[in-house]
Amino acid sequence: NHPNGTSRVFEAFKKINNENVDLIFNLQGDLVTVQENTISKLERLMKENNSPVGTLASKLKKDEIDDENVVKVEVETDLKEDSFLKAKDFFRIKKDLKNKKIYHHVGIYCFQPLYLKQYVELGESKQEKILQLEQVRILGKIDINVGYCDSNPLSVDTLEDLKRVEKEMTL
């Protein structure tokens, strides 16, 4: 009976001996090819910046701009290898992207425990339900920092995605 994966992660977190846990990861289940070094990078950025919530993004390909299955994130300036910038917006489709710094959002989140608890306690927002993007719940309430990821894990959102992943994984 959970509205999203983050609330499931919080339930699991509460059930373990969690007093020495400083970071909690929520890796979206549809990211079947995420690399270990991608997760390690997010952990490093979170610790170096003492960020409440963090995620990653990669370059947005031209064919992804109008794909509603690809979640995008907007930041203020260009994401560089070691930057960890505050997210301005998350969206699927948006008009007028000219002169904006838009990236392909990678479905991995990292929370400090206190902020994961706050996220869950906020409950679903109207905008979150409309956009079907759980991260918009905390925009403007808790900072979400975005790091650059040079790989773009394959995500399974459609039948075509599944076929592409099956092909990639058999190579």
Side-chain angles (χ1 to χ4, degrees):
N1 295 328
H2 292 279
N4 58 46
T6 305
S7 68
R8 283 191 293 276
V9 167
F10 183 63
E11 180 182 346
F13 173 69
K14 291 187 308 184
K15 289 182 178 186
I16 64 168
N17 180 0
N18 60 34
E19 56 200 40
N20 294 320
V21 174
D22 58 346
L23 295 174
I24 303 145
F25 286 84
N26 177 1
L27 178 62
Q28 304 296 306
D30 61 355
L31 289 180
V32 295
T33 63
V34 69
Q35 297 174 4
E36 183 180 329
N37 63 344
T38 300
I39 299 167
S40 298
K41 180 173 188 174
L42 180 56
E43 176 185 22
R44 179 180 57 79
L45 289 170
M46 288 289 293
K47 288 180 176 181
E48 288 175 358
N49 295 279
N50 194 31
S51 179
V53 182
T55 191
L56 296 172
S58 61
K59 287 184 180 173
L60 186 65
K61 298 174 187 165
K62 199 169 196 126
D63 65 332
E64 296 174 329
I65 293 170
D66 294 321
D67 185 344
E68 65 183 15
N69 292 309
V70 175
V71 177
K72 290 91 175 167
V73 59
E74 179 183 356
V75 292
E76 193 65 43
T77 61
D78 289 326
L79 273 177
K80 294 183 173 52
E81 184 59 35
D82 283 321
S83 56
F84 207 39
L85 306 175
K86 183 178 172 183
K88 289 178 65 176
D89 195 12
F90 290 89
F91 58 93
R92 294 178 184 279
I93 300 290
K94 192 181 224 182
K95 295 182 192 303
D96 189 28
L97 298 178
K98 190 175 181 181
N99 299 324
K100 298 198 177 174
K101 307 302 180 187
I102 308 298
Y103 292 85
H104 179 128
H105 178 243
V106 175
I108 180 172
Y109 297 94
C110 186
F111 292 84
Q112 289 185 18
L114 171 67
Y115 296 99
L116 176 60
K117 183 177 188 290
Q118 286 180 8
Y119 167 88
V120 172
E121 289 174 348
L122 284 170
E124 278 186 293
S125 70
K126 182 178 179 181
Q127 191 70 353
E128 173 184 359
K129 289 178 186 177
I130 292 168
L131 297 175
Q132 296 180 359
L133 296 173
E134 62 183 272
Q135 61 272 43
V136 299
R137 175 186 306 192
I138 59 175
L139 274 179
K141 297 175 181 73
I142 302 171
D143 287 348
I144 304 174
N145 289 328
V146 182
Y148 181 75
C149 170
D150 60 3
S151 68
N152 195 351
L154 297 174
S155 179
V156 180
D157 298 303
T158 65
L159 182 57
E160 291 79 26
D161 293 341
L162 178 60
K163 290 175 183 175
R164 183 179 48 145
V165 167
E166 286 175 337
K167 182 179 178 183
E168 289 273 333
M169 294 181 90
T170 57
L171 293 177

